Amino acid sequence: MIEINEHFLALQNNYLFSEIAKRVKAYKTEQPDKKLISLGIGDVSLPLPQAVCRAMHAAVDDLSRKESFRGYGPEQGYDFLKEQIVEHDFASRGVTLDKSEIFINDGAKSDTGNITDILGRDLLVAVGDPVYPVYVDSNIMAGRKDSIIYLPCTAENNFVPALPGYRSELPESDPALPQGSPDLIYLCYPNNPTGTTLSKEELQVWVDYARRNHSLILFDAAYEAFIQHEEIPHSIYEMQGAKEVAIEFRSFSKTAGFTGLRCGYTVVPEELVVKTSGAKVQSLNQLWNRRQSTKFNGASYVSQRAAEAVYSPEGRQQVQDNIAYYMANARILRQGLLACGLKVYGGEDAPYLWVKTPDNFLSWEFFELLLQKAALVSTPGVGFGSCGEGYIRFSAFGERESCLEALGRIHQIL
Ligand code: PLP
């Protein structure tokens, strides 16, 4: 008999996006003449920057000639890309990293999901609520369904989760806190879905907690390029001591339109060590390196040349222009929704707006109202966790005309 990984059976169906698709399809059948607008998508709408496309053409030419052909590349990624990352994404913000600490991948989803391969089964995991579902599902697949703590992120706490308790052996521990003390903490800032950020002080609090409590922070910075306010941290390594306790995930998907092309990277600092059960000290960088060498063949040469071009002067300008376009959408949506009398969070340093439903509508009820009365697709907040109930998410990744028309329609029905 073949045994399966039964933990997969503990997963909930990917209800959110399939349910949206089902309802949208039904609406289209009933109202074939209505022009639907989607502000639900988390995918980009602008094409790849020209500098990126040119680099890909050149990379294909490399592969077509005997003297410049490349076969299997290093599983950790090519130095030409890692050098750009180290200089432009980190040194420019005062963070010193070595190339050996950067692992190029095919996007942040893979590594945010795969990283627990190198960690033990019996870990207590903390995630925000609402949450990017990959963190939860990948831990359920690994058998941690009953070991996940959900930290509420609500308007009342400004979408900054309260610190969980300390380990029982520490004097700070508080037995009155029922949830336990997490080994692993997922933080995603700028946040999907709430579009909110953490200040340096707020992020430092988490780093200090992790150092004191011997927790590991998995910091998802997939949306850092959308930050507009200078004082907001782009990387967790801008915080003192963070290299001892944090792994960071980055992506070219939203930054540079790579959702179809695929490239991202993970940072695992050399300082990041954990104690094994034999009380030996183990480097997570070494373990992740070992894992990647075995299970990953590297991102394609063409994707990595494309990503390298993101850092060229021309590429940087084109990427900035695209981000400015999306963030102008976010501003327009934010102002328009506020003018409709709605409560709006996020959208200032992130491409998502987290909107409180009016009149205590439940998420799905408001989704349905927008669909039926305004032919507008949104994402019900409750699909990201119970604290998302009573919210919907709008994305700023659409086209300008769609954003403007959507606002006009919302204005009419509210
Ligand atoms: N992390 C967050 C918070 C995301 O919202 C997404 C994509 O939507 C990802 C990671 C995955 O990005 P990638 O396309 O790099 O796999």
Side-chain angles (χ1 to χ4, degrees):
M1 194 179 78
I2 303 292
E3 284 188 7
I4 57 160
N5 177 349
E6 301 243 348
H7 300 306
F8 276 65
L9 306 181
L11 292 166
Q12 289 188 348
N13 284 338
N14 197 345
Y15 170 77
L16 176 62
F17 290 102
S18 59
E19 183 63 20
I20 293 174
K22 198 171 98 192
R23 291 184 188 215
V24 169
K25 192 170 165 207
Y27 178 84
K28 278 185 181 159
T29 314
E30 283 160 26
Q31 308 275 356
D33 301 329
K34 285 267 166 63
K35 189 181 151 229
L36 261 183
I37 297 177
S38 178
L39 294 182
I41 49 159
D43 201 353
V44 292
S45 57
L46 293 173
L48 286 166
Q50 279 309 303
V52 167
C53 295
R54 259 200 299 285
M56 281 200 284
H57 283 294
V60 171
D61 288 343
D62 285 348
L63 298 182
S64 72
R65 286 187 300 260
K66 194 166 179 22
E67 59 281 12
S68 50
F69 172 75
R70 313 236 187 166
Y72 287 123
E75 290 93 354
Q76 304 77 4
Y78 285 104
D79 277 355
F80 61 74
L81 176 54
K82 296 205 241 176
E83 279 157 13
Q84 297 297 322
I85 289 169
V86 163
E87 180 187 338
H88 292 288
D89 288 350
F90 294 100
S92 65
R93 296 198 66 84
V95 176
T96 309
L97 284 176
D98 189 80
K99 285 189 303 237
S100 62
E101 299 174 299
I102 311 283
F103 294 85
I104 309 293
N105 59 27
D106 62 354
K109 187 181 188 176
S110 317
D111 281 6
T112 50
N114 289 333
I115 195 74
T116 61
D117 266 17
I118 61 168
L119 302 170
R121 251 283 300 279
D122 300 328
L123 295 181
L124 201 54
V125 181
V127 298
D129 178 2
V131 62
Y132 174 58
V134 172
Y135 314 149
V136 172
D137 285 355
S138 53
N139 276 289
I140 293 176
M141 288 172 182
R144 299 191 194 95
K145 184 180 184 358
D146 298 324
S147 311
I148 303 176
I149 305 172
Y150 293 86
L151 307 174
C153 298
T154 60
E156 288 69 46
N157 62 18
N158 214 10
F159 304 98
V160 181
L163 283 185
Y166 284 87
R167 292 184 193 282
S168 55
E169 63 271 24
L170 293 172
E172 296 91 333
S173 117
D174 178 356
L177 289 173
Q179 284 190 311
S181 179
D183 305 289
L184 208 56
I185 300 162
Y186 288 81
L187 294 178
C188 172
Y189 289 98
N191 188 263
N192 177 17
T194 66
T196 55
T197 52
L198 287 189
S199 68
K200 280 194 173 146
E201 293 71 26
E202 286 163 338
L203 190 51
Q204 187 67 57
V205 166
W206 279 94
V207 170
D208 293 345
Y209 171 85
R211 292 177 75 189
R212 179 82 183 115
N213 201 54
H214 299 293
S215 305
L216 172 64
I217 296 178
L218 300 175
F219 189 72
D220 186 343
Y223 296 97
E224 62 76 33
F226 294 85
I227 292 172
Q228 307 291 302
H229 291 90
E230 187 45 42
E231 67 279 8
I232 293 173
H234 287 236
S235 166
I236 195 164
Y237 305 121
E238 291 173 45
M239 307 304 114
Q240 216 187 352
K243 283 186 186 173
E244 293 162 31
V245 288
I247 290 175
E248 181 164 308
F249 305 95
R250 294 276 186 111
S251 171
F252 294 100
S253 284
K254 310 297 164 70
T255 308
F258 276 48
T259 50
L261 178 57
R262 313 304 308 150
C263 199
Y265 64 90
T266 297
V267 184
V268 189
E270 303 278 2
E271 280 106 309
L272 187 52
V273 292
V274 292
K275 289 231 174 75
T276 65
S277 50
K280 285 204 187 119
V281 167
Q282 174 63 51
S283 144
L284 289 190
N285 179 290
Q286 273 174 17
L287 278 192
W288 185 243
N289 194 19
R290 189 71 181 82
R291 190 262 175 213
Q292 289 298 81
S293 309
T294 304
K295 289 197 179 180
F296 186 57
N297 253 329
S300 80
Y301 175 68
V302 176
S303 298
Q304 293 190 62
R305 280 294 185 201
E308 181 192 23
V310 167
Y311 299 98
S312 67
E314 194 195 358
R316 288 168 73 186
Q317 186 57 52
Q318 291 165 359
V319 163
Q320 261 173 33
D321 292 346
N322 288 3
I323 288 174
Y325 177 86
Y326 294 133
M327 290 313 289
N329 281 351
R331 258 192 312 282
I332 290 166
L333 283 171
R334 203 181 139 81
Q335 280 158 12
L337 293 166
L338 287 169
C340 289
L342 291 166
K343 274 210 174 96
V344 184
Y345 304 94
E348 290 178 302
D349 291 285
Y352 296 117
L353 296 99
W354 193 238
V355 181
K356 182 84 192 83
T357 60
D359 303 327
N360 290 325
F361 273 103
L362 297 176
S363 297
W364 278 109
E365 290 172 348
F366 195 55
F367 168 90
E368 204 55 39
L369 180 85
L370 292 175
L371 182 62
Q372 298 301 334
K373 297 264 180 334
L376 183 61
V377 183
S378 58
T379 311
V382 70
F384 297 99
S386 59
C387 290
E389 182 59 280
Y391 288 88
I392 52 160
R393 189 193 74 173
F394 285 133
S395 146
F397 283 123
E399 289 169 13
R400 179 69 40 82
E401 302 69 46
S402 306
C403 296
L404 292 168
E405 193 172 338
L407 282 175
R409 293 185 191 181
I410 295 172
H411 198 71
Q412 272 182 1
I413 62 163
L414 289 185

